[in-house]
Amino acid sequence: MRLFIFTFVCLLAKVLSGQSIHYLYPVKVGHKWGYADNRGRIVIEPKYDAVGDLQLPWYDQEDSTSPFRLVETAGKLGLINEQCREVLPPRYRYISPLNHSLFIVADDSRLRLIDSTGMSALEGDFEQVQLLDTLAGWLLKIKRGEHWGVYEIGVGEIIPPAYSDITIQHAGKAFFKVKRPQEVDQWGLVDRNHNWILPPAFKNIQAVNQHFFATQEDDLSWVLRDSTGDQVLLTRWQDCQLLNPHLVSLKKEDGSFHLFSCVRRDTLSLPGSFTNFRSLNERYIKFRDGFSTGVLDTAGQVVIPATYQDIHACWDSLFQVQQRG
């Protein structure tokens, strides 16, 4: 018990001894502003015309909280961090942190991406930027003129600004759904090397995995295609739902449900009473049989019979089941 108390007290002392931006309070001395800590000690010299009392959100993530605050001198903005250090001097019209070392700034009418030394981290300037993705790398959606492209931090421009819109899809690797300015409501698909996977000829595109894609045609029906663009099944489907990288739920106009297996490149042979397929995880899906719910694996084998009111995945092959009644 003594060891536990000693460890707890040491940990608490360590936490309280560190200067955290959460415990900084704006103070004014004369006509200048700085910060004091929760003991009233000046930790940032009052030298600014104004200082922020709240942490900034991360760029393009309004509900988030970064460890940075704005400071202002002569109408120009700078940035301080949680160690009470000035990260960027007050020389910008706009600042927003992208991560702990990169910042979106504007010192004229255009935006730039800079590091904590003020050096540009993105070649050229741009009118608008959005954080596109962090799973497949730090990907930015950038706008130059009227067109959008994709820039990967540390790599450079991977999709040139030539499109009216761009979205990202994760399917084993990153794909980009792109729309050309001259083609209204016609989407195509490219990879991160800007190689065309599917031409800009579809109302919508969903990447199932690296080898199969669902495309919505002009008549709003869905078609399954492979990476060459060829149609895998001759049937056109009223609805298409991606369940996991292995299975796709398909619905005909007559209301019947079918399950496409990417491994078999065909629909699975299942009882016609199996409907309403829903994803549980990458290994299992659930289905309805009448008013009951069961579980299938990626081969279409029943692993839990349809005898339950509902089923939810807890972890991998563990499931929470709700008894009927």
Side-chain angles (χ1 to χ4, degrees):
M1 179 62 72
R2 288 182 179 179
L3 178 60
F4 171 78
I5 294 174
F6 175 76
T7 303
F8 175 76
V9 170
C10 289
L11 178 61
L12 183 62
K14 182 178 180 180
V15 170
L16 293 178
S17 65
Q19 295 296 339
S20 170
I21 197 167
H22 295 278
Y23 298 102
L24 293 182
Y25 301 93
V27 294
K28 188 176 184 182
V29 177
H31 298 288
K32 297 295 182 179
W33 287 88
Y35 287 98
D37 63 15
N38 57 343
R39 297 183 180 181
R41 298 176 300 187
I42 299 295
V43 292
I44 296 182
E45 176 189 354
K47 60 180 180 179
Y48 302 106
D49 296 340
V51 296
D53 58 353
L54 296 173
Q55 292 97 275
L56 289 173
W58 294 109
Y59 182 80
D60 210 25
Q61 302 177 60
E62 289 301 322
D63 295 330
S64 63
T65 302
S66 79
F68 300 102
R69 292 192 193 187
L70 289 174
V71 294
E72 181 181 344
T73 298
K76 299 291 186 178
L77 298 176
L79 212 62
I80 64 166
N81 66 9
E82 57 188 350
Q83 284 79 40
C84 306
R85 296 174 183 169
E86 186 178 272
V87 179
L88 297 176
R91 63 175 59 156
Y92 304 101
R93 182 176 57 82
Y94 168 85
I95 300 176
S96 185
L98 182 64
N99 58 27
H100 287 275
S101 58
L102 294 173
F103 310 91
I104 304 292
V105 301
D107 45 16
D108 49 32
S109 60
R110 290 177 177 256
L111 298 173
R112 294 190 297 126
L113 180 67
I114 65 171
D115 60 23
S116 55
T117 69
M119 297 295 293
S120 178
L122 190 157
E123 296 178 4
D125 49 18
F126 42 90
E127 284 82 14
Q128 202 170 340
V129 62
Q130 297 175 10
L131 180 60
L132 187 62
D133 188 63
T134 58
L135 295 176
W138 280 91
L139 300 179
L140 303 177
K141 181 178 173 180
I142 58 172
K143 187 177 186 181
R144 290 195 178 106
E146 297 299 320
H147 301 146
W148 291 95
V150 177
Y151 190 97
E152 183 174 3
I153 295 173
V155 176
E157 188 177 276
I158 60 175
I159 307 293
Y163 301 99
S164 58
D165 201 3
I166 298 177
T167 64
I168 189 170
Q169 295 193 2
H170 293 284
K173 66 178 183 178
F175 294 99
F176 300 93
K177 194 170 71 169
V178 297
K179 184 190 296 184
R180 285 174 172 170
Q182 67 272 23
E183 290 153 345
V184 180
D185 293 333
Q186 297 292 305
W187 292 91
L189 198 71
V190 299
D191 62 18
R192 65 187 307 133
N193 296 317
H194 200 216
N195 298 316
W196 284 97
I197 307 299
L198 295 171
F202 305 102
K203 291 287 185 183
N204 198 0
I205 299 172
Q206 297 184 63
V208 181
N209 53 37
Q210 299 181 41
H211 308 290
F212 294 97
F213 308 89
T215 61
Q216 190 175 36
E217 311 298 306
D218 287 336
D219 62 0
L220 302 185
S221 65
W222 287 91
V223 168
L224 283 177
R225 300 180 184 274
D226 61 20
S227 56
T228 67
D230 291 338
Q231 191 168 333
V232 180
L233 302 174
L234 296 179
T235 307
R236 292 197 172 202
W237 308 90
Q238 184 185 55
D239 193 25
C240 171
Q241 298 291 330
L242 310 187
L243 302 176
N244 56 37
H246 316 285
L247 298 172
V248 181
S249 174
L250 301 168
K251 184 180 180 181
K252 284 185 174 180
E253 289 188 0
D254 61 8
S256 62
F257 286 84
H258 301 264
L259 202 58
F260 175 79
S261 166
C262 295
V263 174
R264 297 187 182 182
R265 292 178 61 94
D266 202 352
T267 55
L268 297 175
S269 179
L270 297 173
S273 57
F274 286 14
T275 63
N276 296 95
F277 302 109
R278 295 291 183 268
S279 176
L280 289 172
N281 54 38
E282 290 198 359
R283 296 181 58 190
Y284 300 100
I285 66 170
K286 64 181 179 180
F287 67 96
R288 298 286 288 179
D289 188 358
F291 295 99
S292 300
T293 301
V295 173
L296 299 172
D297 62 16
T298 55
Q301 299 297 314
V302 176
V303 294
I304 297 180
T307 57
Y308 298 97
Q309 179 71 30
D310 202 359
I311 299 176
H312 302 279
C314 295
W315 182 260
D316 193 28
S317 300
L318 295 177
F319 304 93
Q320 179 185 21
V321 296
Q322 181 181 351
Q323 296 281 4
R324 294 192 55 80

